Amino acid sequence: MLRRDLVKLLLGSGAVAISGLLKPVKAWAIWNDAAFGAQNQKAALDAYYPGATIKASDRISIGVRQEIENGAVVPIKINSDLPDIKSIAIFVEKNPNPLIANFDLSPRTSGFVSTRMKMDQSSEIMVVVVSGDQVYSNKTYVTVHEGGCA
């Protein structure tokens, strides 16, 4: 065997071994497989907030355009003045997986989140905010002309 072939073999096997060590780790976040894998919004809500009573609140504002051309990029801003906000979650009723995102907030953080998401079709967007020991929500309907989840 030539030295050049030996070096290629060692480098190739080393790269394969290192790539196995660089897999994403779920340990950094609390992952709820049942909620994120749910096929409908009710199942996602039941898995993420088991036994909770979700109250409607007008103190949660959802900043999103009411009509979207391309569902692949839907900018959304959520703002709430509820006290002691612990988390903000976004659900899209008619998406293949309705739970879009959950943001855990620290006690000193204001209740504001800005992100982009995908929407498969025209649907209701539901934002759920955990404030203290209570769970609140607000909803809005968005019309999508071209789905973005395919």
Side-chain angles (χ1 to χ4, degrees), residues 70-90:
N70 184 358
V73 181
V74 181
I76 183 169
K77 293 180 182 179
I78 298 146
N79 196 11
S80 178
D81 63 351
L82 290 165
D84 188 27
I85 294 177
K86 296 179 180 174
S87 70
I88 297 174
I90 304 169

PDB file of all heavy atoms in Angstrom, residues 70-90:
ATOM      1  N   ASN A  70     -47.133  33.931  -0.593  1.00  0.00           N
ATOM      2  CA  ASN A  70     -46.335  32.708  -0.535  1.00  0.00           C
ATOM      3  C   ASN A  70     -46.254  32.234   0.910  1.00  0.00           C
ATOM      4  O   ASN A  70     -45.657  32.909   1.758  1.00  0.00           O
ATOM      5  CB  ASN A  70     -44.936  32.974  -1.102  1.00  0.00           C
ATOM      6  CG  ASN A  70     -44.082  31.740  -1.161  1.00  0.00           C
ATOM      7  OD1 ASN A  70     -44.489  30.657  -0.740  1.00  0.00           O
ATOM      8  ND2 ASN A  70     -42.892  31.888  -1.685  1.00  0.00           N
ATOM      9  N   GLY A  71     -46.810  31.070   1.194  1.00  0.00           N
ATOM     10  CA  GLY A  71     -46.825  30.539   2.556  1.00  0.00           C
ATOM     11  C   GLY A  71     -45.480  30.026   3.037  1.00  0.00           C
ATOM     12  O   GLY A  71     -45.350  29.613   4.183  1.00  0.00           O
ATOM     13  N   ALA A  72     -44.459  30.043   2.176  1.00  0.00           N
ATOM     14  CA  ALA A  72     -43.133  29.568   2.587  1.00  0.00           C
ATOM     15  C   ALA A  72     -42.454  30.530   3.547  1.00  0.00           C
ATOM     16  O   ALA A  72     -41.609  30.125   4.344  1.00  0.00           O
ATOM     17  CB  ALA A  72     -42.245  29.345   1.370  1.00  0.00           C
ATOM     18  N   VAL A  73     -42.814  31.818   3.493  1.00  0.00           N
ATOM     19  CA  VAL A  73     -42.225  32.817   4.394  1.00  0.00           C
ATOM     20  C   VAL A  73     -43.339  33.725   4.889  1.00  0.00           C
ATOM     21  O   VAL A  73     -43.804  34.606   4.181  1.00  0.00           O
ATOM     22  CB  VAL A  73     -41.143  33.655   3.681  1.00  0.00           C
ATOM     23  CG1 VAL A  73     -40.544  34.664   4.641  1.00  0.00           C
ATOM     24  CG2 VAL A  73     -40.065  32.769   3.091  1.00  0.00           C
ATOM     25  N   VAL A  74     -43.752  33.494   6.122  1.00  0.00           N
ATOM     26  CA  VAL A  74     -44.809  34.293   6.731  1.00  0.00           C
ATOM     27  C   VAL A  74     -44.239  34.968   7.976  1.00  0.00           C
ATOM     28  O   VAL A  74     -44.046  34.328   9.009  1.00  0.00           O
ATOM     29  CB  VAL A  74     -46.026  33.422   7.113  1.00  0.00           C
ATOM     30  CG1 VAL A  74     -47.118  34.268   7.731  1.00  0.00           C
ATOM     31  CG2 VAL A  74     -46.546  32.654   5.905  1.00  0.00           C
ATOM     32  N   PRO A  75     -43.913  36.271   7.893  1.00  0.00           N
ATOM     33  CA  PRO A  75     -43.408  36.972   9.073  1.00  0.00           C
ATOM     34  C   PRO A  75     -44.535  37.194  10.086  1.00  0.00           C
ATOM     35  O   PRO A  75     -45.665  37.510   9.716  1.00  0.00           O
ATOM     36  CB  PRO A  75     -42.883  38.298   8.529  1.00  0.00           C
ATOM     37  CG  PRO A  75     -43.400  38.418   7.141  1.00  0.00           C
ATOM     38  CD  PRO A  75     -43.930  37.099   6.710  1.00  0.00           C
ATOM     39  N   ILE A  76     -44.206  37.010  11.347  1.00  0.00           N
ATOM     40  CA  ILE A  76     -45.199  37.186  12.413  1.00  0.00           C
ATOM     41  C   ILE A  76     -44.532  37.825  13.631  1.00  0.00           C
ATOM     42  O   ILE A  76     -43.384  37.520  13.953  1.00  0.00           O
ATOM     43  CB  ILE A  76     -45.862  35.831  12.786  1.00  0.00           C
ATOM     44  CG1 ILE A  76     -46.955  36.026  13.843  1.00  0.00           C
ATOM     45  CG2 ILE A  76     -44.833  34.815  13.225  1.00  0.00           C
ATOM     46  CD1 ILE A  76     -47.820  34.794  14.065  1.00  0.00           C
ATOM     47  N   LYS A  77     -45.271  38.735  14.261  1.00  0.00           N
ATOM     48  CA  LYS A  77     -44.810  39.382  15.490  1.00  0.00           C
ATOM     49  C   LYS A  77     -45.890  39.200  16.543  1.00  0.00           C
ATOM     50  O   LYS A  77     -47.078  39.421  16.279  1.00  0.00           O
ATOM     51  CB  LYS A  77     -44.567  40.872  15.273  1.00  0.00           C
ATOM     52  CG  LYS A  77     -43.424  41.170  14.353  1.00  0.00           C
ATOM     53  CD  LYS A  77     -43.232  42.652  14.185  1.00  0.00           C
ATOM     54  CE  LYS A  77     -42.093  42.914  13.211  1.00  0.00           C
ATOM     55  NZ  LYS A  77     -41.891  44.342  12.997  1.00  0.00           N
ATOM     56  N   ILE A  78     -45.468  38.790  17.721  1.00  0.00           N
ATOM     57  CA  ILE A  78     -46.395  38.576  18.824  1.00  0.00           C
ATOM     58  C   ILE A  78     -45.970  39.476  19.968  1.00  0.00           C
ATOM     59  O   ILE A  78     -44.791  39.519  20.330  1.00  0.00           O
ATOM     60  CB  ILE A  78     -46.393  37.101  19.262  1.00  0.00           C
ATOM     61  CG1 ILE A  78     -46.856  36.236  18.090  1.00  0.00           C
ATOM     62  CG2 ILE A  78     -47.280  36.891  20.471  1.00  0.00           C
ATOM     63  CD1 ILE A  78     -46.209  34.916  18.029  1.00  0.00           C
ATOM     64  N   ASN A  79     -46.941  40.171  20.528  1.00  0.00           N
ATOM     65  CA  ASN A  79     -46.661  41.074  21.637  1.00  0.00           C
ATOM     66  C   ASN A  79     -47.746  40.906  22.686  1.00  0.00           C
ATOM     67  O   ASN A  79     -48.926  40.775  22.345  1.00  0.00           O
ATOM     68  CB  ASN A  79     -46.616  42.520  21.141  1.00  0.00           C
ATOM     69  CG  ASN A  79     -45.960  43.449  22.131  1.00  0.00           C
ATOM     70  OD1 ASN A  79     -45.359  43.009  23.107  1.00  0.00           O
ATOM     71  ND2 ASN A  79     -46.074  44.731  21.876  1.00  0.00           N
ATOM     72  N   SER A  80     -47.339  40.883  23.942  1.00  0.00           N
ATOM     73  CA  SER A  80     -48.310  40.756  25.028  1.00  0.00           C
ATOM     74  C   SER A  80     -47.834  41.546  26.234  1.00  0.00           C
ATOM     75  O   SER A  80     -46.641  41.566  26.540  1.00  0.00           O
ATOM     76  CB  SER A  80     -48.496  39.294  25.420  1.00  0.00           C
ATOM     77  OG  SER A  80     -49.399  39.199  26.493  1.00  0.00           O
ATOM     78  N   ASP A  81     -48.793  42.171  26.908  1.00  0.00           N
ATOM     79  CA  ASP A  81     -48.463  42.899  28.133  1.00  0.00           C
ATOM     80  C   ASP A  81     -48.937  42.142  29.381  1.00  0.00           C
ATOM     81  O   ASP A  81     -49.030  42.715  30.459  1.00  0.00           O
ATOM     82  CB  ASP A  81     -49.053  44.306  28.093  1.00  0.00           C
ATOM     83  CG  ASP A  81     -50.566  44.314  28.032  1.00  0.00           C
ATOM     84  OD1 ASP A  81     -51.170  43.234  27.838  1.00  0.00           O
ATOM     85  OD2 ASP A  81     -51.167  45.393  28.164  1.00  0.00           O
ATOM     86  N   LEU A  82     -49.207  40.850  29.222  1.00  0.00           N
ATOM     87  CA  LEU A  82     -49.576  40.032  30.382  1.00  0.00           C
ATOM     88  C   LEU A  82     -48.391  39.967  31.349  1.00  0.00           C
ATOM     89  O   LEU A  82     -47.232  39.997  30.923  1.00  0.00           O
ATOM     90  CB  LEU A  82     -49.967  38.619  29.932  1.00  0.00           C
ATOM     91  CG  LEU A  82     -51.286  38.496  29.172  1.00  0.00           C
ATOM     92  CD1 LEU A  82     -51.382  37.154  28.479  1.00  0.00           C
ATOM     93  CD2 LEU A  82     -52.453  38.692  30.124  1.00  0.00           C
ATOM     94  N   PRO A  83     -48.640  39.866  32.647  1.00  0.00           N
ATOM     95  CA  PRO A  83     -47.531  39.805  33.608  1.00  0.00           C
ATOM     96  C   PRO A  83     -46.884  38.416  33.658  1.00  0.00           C
ATOM     97  O   PRO A  83     -47.530  37.405  33.378  1.00  0.00           O
ATOM     98  CB  PRO A  83     -48.218  40.120  34.937  1.00  0.00           C
ATOM     99  CG  PRO A  83     -49.625  39.649  34.749  1.00  0.00           C
ATOM    100  CD  PRO A  83     -49.938  39.888  33.294  1.00  0.00           C
ATOM    101  N   ASP A  84     -45.619  38.372  33.994  1.00  0.00           N
ATOM    102  CA  ASP A  84     -44.884  37.125  34.250  1.00  0.00           C
ATOM    103  C   ASP A  84     -45.052  36.100  33.121  1.00  0.00           C
ATOM    104  O   ASP A  84     -45.440  34.959  33.357  1.00  0.00           O
ATOM    105  CB  ASP A  84     -45.348  36.532  35.592  1.00  0.00           C
ATOM    106  CG  ASP A  84     -44.501  35.355  36.034  1.00  0.00           C
ATOM    107  OD1 ASP A  84     -43.317  35.292  35.651  1.00  0.00           O
ATOM    108  OD2 ASP A  84     -45.035  34.473  36.740  1.00  0.00           O
ATOM    109  N   ILE A  85     -44.722  36.508  31.900  1.00  0.00           N
ATOM    110  CA  ILE A  85     -44.846  35.602  30.749  1.00  0.00           C
ATOM    111  C   ILE A  85     -43.706  34.595  30.780  1.00  0.00           C
ATOM    112  O   ILE A  85     -42.539  34.956  30.830  1.00  0.00           O
ATOM    113  CB  ILE A  85     -44.851  36.380  29.426  1.00  0.00           C
ATOM    114  CG1 ILE A  85     -46.104  37.246  29.354  1.00  0.00           C
ATOM    115  CG2 ILE A  85     -44.787  35.430  28.241  1.00  0.00           C
ATOM    116  CD1 ILE A  85     -46.200  38.105  28.130  1.00  0.00           C
ATOM    117  N   LYS A  86     -44.079  33.317  30.732  1.00  0.00           N
ATOM    118  CA  LYS A  86     -43.092  32.231  30.764  1.00  0.00           C
ATOM    119  C   LYS A  86     -42.817  31.666  29.380  1.00  0.00           C
ATOM    120  O   LYS A  86     -41.704  31.247  29.093  1.00  0.00           O
ATOM    121  CB  LYS A  86     -43.565  31.126  31.700  1.00  0.00           C
ATOM    122  CG  LYS A  86     -43.654  31.590  33.141  1.00  0.00           C
ATOM    123  CD  LYS A  86     -44.132  30.511  34.058  1.00  0.00           C
ATOM    124  CE  LYS A  86     -44.198  31.068  35.479  1.00  0.00           C
ATOM    125  NZ  LYS A  86     -44.784  30.138  36.413  1.00  0.00           N
ATOM    126  N   SER A  87     -43.848  31.622  28.519  1.00  0.00           N
ATOM    127  CA  SER A  87     -43.635  31.088  27.171  1.00  0.00           C
ATOM    128  C   SER A  87     -44.684  31.616  26.207  1.00  0.00           C
ATOM    129  O   SER A  87     -45.773  32.024  26.608  1.00  0.00           O
ATOM    130  CB  SER A  87     -43.658  29.560  27.178  1.00  0.00           C
ATOM    131  OG  SER A  87     -44.954  29.081  27.427  1.00  0.00           O
ATOM    132  N   ILE A  88     -44.301  31.596  24.917  1.00  0.00           N
ATOM    133  CA  ILE A  88     -45.194  31.966  23.827  1.00  0.00           C
ATOM    134  C   ILE A  88     -45.095  30.856  22.781  1.00  0.00           C
ATOM    135  O   ILE A  88     -44.002  30.503  22.358  1.00  0.00           O
ATOM    136  CB  ILE A  88     -44.798  33.315  23.200  1.00  0.00           C
ATOM    137  CG1 ILE A  88     -44.924  34.450  24.235  1.00  0.00           C
ATOM    138  CG2 ILE A  88     -45.649  33.611  21.961  1.00  0.00           C
ATOM    139  CD1 ILE A  88     -44.423  35.792  23.748  1.00  0.00           C
ATOM    140  N   ALA A  89     -46.247  30.298  22.388  1.00  0.00           N
ATOM    141  CA  ALA A  89     -46.274  29.233  21.390  1.00  0.00           C
ATOM    142  C   ALA A  89     -47.160  29.652  20.222  1.00  0.00           C
ATOM    143  O   ALA A  89     -48.140  30.382  20.394  1.00  0.00           O
ATOM    144  CB  ALA A  89     -46.788  27.934  21.989  1.00  0.00           C
ATOM    145  N   ILE A  90     -46.797  29.169  19.019  1.00  0.00           N
ATOM    146  CA  ILE A  90     -47.547  29.482  17.805  1.00  0.00           C
ATOM    147  C   ILE A  90     -48.078  28.180  17.209  1.00  0.00           C
ATOM    148  O   ILE A  90     -47.326  27.221  17.031  1.00  0.00           O
ATOM    149  CB  ILE A  90     -46.657  30.181  16.761  1.00  0.00           C
ATOM    150  CG1 ILE A  90     -46.016  31.435  17.357  1.00  0.00           C
ATOM    151  CG2 ILE A  90     -47.467  30.527  15.511  1.00  0.00           C
ATOM    152  CD1 ILE A  90     -44.930  32.033  16.485  1.00  0.00           C
TER     153      ILE A  90
END
